[in-house]
């Protein structure tokens, strides 16, 4: 729109009026309206003040004819014209489909946060959410089989292994380095970045989950029992609590994985790799670390460490003993922190696992039982722009972890977070958040073992250890037998 010139704009005041989304400027000269809707609207968006707007428009509308001619060759644009010029960009809008968990507060809020942060960082990218089904990956596998795989998708080790064989998943090695993702990893969570073949197929956001030995601080203090650091002190605690009618350690041994975890805790005091070496055939059950752990557990169980009928107790029953102050200790994953804190408040804590002697105890403080595995946001090998999809997947993973750490009081993340905590950690989570960067080794939960036949044998054998009617020699024999037949 060409702005008419005004020879006498000073006769009447200029008026400022808003109409249908535009700002109109009336000069008053010969009742003509001088306006450039698009230019002035752009000024409004940029927050130009009314005074600046009037001044700039006056200059544009009322310059002389000579000035216009002189400017025809090399005239520099006015400040207002420069400010109002449209931002030029070569970035085209892109829509990417993402298959992700979005079921509850623990999955919705971090995802929403990550998407909002992505919009700030890459405003041209739009994510189309396809909510992940709770079906052990069947829907995603169907997508892959029909050539309809999303650009980005959540993937655990099972999906990674399956899609590697069908060439449906992108190898992310170069992008892990290019985007600086590897530098942002927690050193203790590097095992979640690459699979056994040494390649990365997903950007992880979840760190290693760990098994913890919880204890009731008040029960120990009130009964004059020292928090054990050695096996001998553990035996002393077991006898002391039994003498007071208090269950020393509660466990829901009806499920087999807690039995494996307790055994693994004892093994990892001498062998940091724990049960993973047995799983991979790199150790035998009669090696010192493994047989000694079985022997110590049997001794403690026979001394009355566990509640009667431990192998028949489910989680609710075993947890109630601890939450109600009837058991001094309890074994579960770090996810128990919330429930234990709710039931016992500051009375609940977790201890470092007792070891053979003081030196082994100190060394073992950074060796944790439990683990995670490769997984996170992966990229389809058939996505159109592989680098962009990988960049988005990397960004979403980082921000997802960031929110869980700062807003969900969850320190179990794979990547470093340098933003302040919004929701304060409970005391045990605070302790764990400080321990995680120091972790020097992890092992595995039973569900993370790779050898199915050996896994079944280990679960059965460790559950038998909880009965007190099983010898260390029988334990070794059963595991070695399974290890041979599993090859």
């Amino acid at each position: 729109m060409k702005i008419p010139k005004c020879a006498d704009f000073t006769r009447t005041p200029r008026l400022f009026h808003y109409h249908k989304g535009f700002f109109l400027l009336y000069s008053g000269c010969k009742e003509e309206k001088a306006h450039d809707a698009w230019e002035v609207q752009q000024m409004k968006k940029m927050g130009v003040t009314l005074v600046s707007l009037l001044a700039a428009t006056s200059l544009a509308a009322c310059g002389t004819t000579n000035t216009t001619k002189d400017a025809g060759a090399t005239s520099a644009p006015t400040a207002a014209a420069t400010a109002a010029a449209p931002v030029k960009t070569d970035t085209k809008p892109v829509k990417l489909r993402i298959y992700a968990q979005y079921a509850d507060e623990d999955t919705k809020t971090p995802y929403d946060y990550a998407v909002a942060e992505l919009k700030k960082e890459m405003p041209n990218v739009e994510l189309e959410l396809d909510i992940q089904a709770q079906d052990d990956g069947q829907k995603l596998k169907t997508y892959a089989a029909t050539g309809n795989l999303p650009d980005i998708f959540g993937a655990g080790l099972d999906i990674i292994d399956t899609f590697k064989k069908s060439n449906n998943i992108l190898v992310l090695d170069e992008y892990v380095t290019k985007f600086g993702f590897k530098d942002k990893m927690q050193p203790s969570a590097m095992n979640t970045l690459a699979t056994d073949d040494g390649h990365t197929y997903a950007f992880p956001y979840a760190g290693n989950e760990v098994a913890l030995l919880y204890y009731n601080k008040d029960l120990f203090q009130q009964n004059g029992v020292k928090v054990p650091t050695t096996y001998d002190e553990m035996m002393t605690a077991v006898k002391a609590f039994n003498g007071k009618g208090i269950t020393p350690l509660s466990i829901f041994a009806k499920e087999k994985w807690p039995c494996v975890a307790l055994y693994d805790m004892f093994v990892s005091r001498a062998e940091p790799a724990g049960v993973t070496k047995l799983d991979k055939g790199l150790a035998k059950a009669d090696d010192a670390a493994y047989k000694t752990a079985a022997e110590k557990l049997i001794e403690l169980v026979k001394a009355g460490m566990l509640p009667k009928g431990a192998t028949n107790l489910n989680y609710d029953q075993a947890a109630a003993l601890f939450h109600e102050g009837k058991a001094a200790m309890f074994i579960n994953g770090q996810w128990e922190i919330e429930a234990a804190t709710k039931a016992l408040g500051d009375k609940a804590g977790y201890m470092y696992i007792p070891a053979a002697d003081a030196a082994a105890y100190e060394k073992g403080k950074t060796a944790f039982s439990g683990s995670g595995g490769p997984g996170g946001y992966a990229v389809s090998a058939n996505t159109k722009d592989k680098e962009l999809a990988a960049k988005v997947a990397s960004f979403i993973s980082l921000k997802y972890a960031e929110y869980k750490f700062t807003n969900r009081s969850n320190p179990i993340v794979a990547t470093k977070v340098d933003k302040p905590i919004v929701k304060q950690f409970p005391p045990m989570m605070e302790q764990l958040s400080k321990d995680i960067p120091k972790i020097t080794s992890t092992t595995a939960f039973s569900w993370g073992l790779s050898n199915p036949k050996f896994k079944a044998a280990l679960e059965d054998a460790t559950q038998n250890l909880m009965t007190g009617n099983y010898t260390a020699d029988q334990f070794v024999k059963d595991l070695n037998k399974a290890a041979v037949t599993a090859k």
Side-chain angles (χ1 to χ4, degrees), residues 60-83:
C62 303
T64 64
T65 302
N66 289 337
T67 301
T68 304
K69 287 181 180 179
D70 292 341
T74 60
S75 170
T78 65
T82 302

Side-chain angles (χ1 to χ4, degrees), residues 8 21 45 56 58 77 107 147 169 184 191 208 229 255 283 288 306 312 317 333 359 367 396 404 408 418 473 476:
D8 191 6
K45 292 181 179 178
S58 297
T107 54
I169 193 167
K184 297 180 177 72
N191 60 300
N208 291 308
T229 61
E255 292 186 41
L306 305 181
N312 293 317
Q317 294 166 324
I396 290 291
K404 288 182 76 69
R408 299 292 296 172
D418 56 7
D473 287 338
V476 168

